[in-house]
Amino acid sequence: SAAGYAEGRDIWNYVRSISGAFQNNTFPAGTNFVLNVPNLSLSNNDGNLNYIFRSTTGLESITLKCTIRGVAMHAHGAFSRCSDLKFLDLSEFNTTFGTSTDVFYSCSKLEEIRGEIENTTTNWTLWFASCVKLREVRFKANSIKGAFTISQSPLLSAESVQSIVDGLADMTGGTSYKLTLHADVKAKLTEEQLATIAAKNWTIG
């Protein structure tokens, strides 16, 4: 039987798809959620993260772990409207993001995202919309290759801002893209950061 086959085994090793798995669920207040799915697959897009935690309540922190490397997973609305989420740990989630929009949309309590974010596409539509408390976030160097908006996050740390600047791809000789920051963050950019942004053929909004 299936139950007998799983006995004594970590059944998450056999999971290939988690799309929409927990969306619209209510968890106990203050829940710290750890999900280790080591063998996610992208066969027929099975491994995508689309809407996995969309519109959940009660989750204060989420930790995702996966051992697969070099795979870009779709993550449309993965954490959108996760209204109680404060901390997200992707430091052991070795995959990158593929075609994705609204990833952290309306995570109004989100303060910290651990681990480097890499998006293999140019689409950053509404990734950080309404993330008004976000302080800490990191990006893979030179990986931001399309118009990037994080304009509703006024509390970004100096390290987060520097990571955004370092994350901008060098578009010299190509299409110039726009970086849109909150006015408070924009006002704190250093002369060196402004020069780096301009040298990479980006404009600031």
Side-chain angles (χ1 to χ4, degrees):
S1 68
Y5 183 75
E7 184 177 355
R9 301 170 185 259
D10 183 355
I11 61 172
W12 288 103
N13 280 290
Y14 301 94
V15 172
R16 295 294 183 271
S17 176
I18 52 177
S19 177
F22 305 102
Q23 69 172 323
N24 298 316
N25 271 294
T26 300
F27 292 83
T31 295
N32 299 312
F33 192 102
V34 179
L35 180 60
N36 182 15
V37 189
N39 296 309
L40 288 179
S41 167
L42 262 190
S43 175
N44 298 317
N45 292 327
D46 287 341
N48 70 58
L49 304 177
N50 292 342
Y51 313 117
I52 177 175
F53 291 106
R54 181 175 66 171
S55 298
T56 59
T57 60
L59 294 179
E60 183 170 304
S61 72
I62 297 173
T63 299
L64 291 184
K65 300 180 181 182
C66 183
T67 57
I68 300 297
R69 295 181 181 275
V71 174
M73 294 207 177
H74 308 315
H76 292 295
F79 306 95
S80 62
R81 300 185 179 91
C82 199
S83 58
D84 295 316
L85 183 63
K86 293 182 178 180
F87 306 102
L88 174 63
D89 191 344
L90 300 174
S91 58
E92 295 182 63
F93 190 72
N94 294 308
T95 60
T96 58
F97 292 103
T99 304
S100 308
T101 60
D102 308 357
V103 180
F104 308 107
Y105 174 79
S106 203
C107 288
S108 59
K109 294 182 181 179
L110 183 61
E111 298 177 14
E112 181 177 356
I113 303 171
R114 298 166 187 164
E116 275 190 344
I117 292 175
E118 179 183 6
N119 176 9
T120 62
T121 77
T122 61
N123 190 349
W124 293 91
T125 302
L126 296 175
W127 269 56
F128 299 97
S130 299
C131 290
V132 295
K133 292 190 176 180
L134 186 62
R135 296 180 290 104
E136 301 295 340
V137 60
R138 302 291 185 272
F139 299 88
K140 184 176 180 180
N142 304 308
S143 67
I144 301 174
K145 299 176 181 178
F148 183 84
T149 298
I150 191 166
S151 60
Q152 295 176 320
S153 301
L155 305 178
L156 292 175
S157 69
E159 293 79 9
S160 295
V161 175
Q162 185 60 52
S163 182
I164 293 171
V165 174
D166 293 340
L168 300 178
D170 189 345
M171 305 308 298
T172 301
T175 301
S176 177
Y177 288 115
K178 186 177 183 180
L179 168 64
T180 306
L181 303 168
H182 189 278
D184 292 351
V185 174
K186 181 179 175 181
K188 294 178 182 178
L189 290 173
T190 66
E191 291 299 323
E192 182 178 357
Q193 288 172 333
L194 290 168
T196 298
I197 293 167
K200 291 184 176 183
N201 195 26
W202 284 71
T203 59
I204 304 175

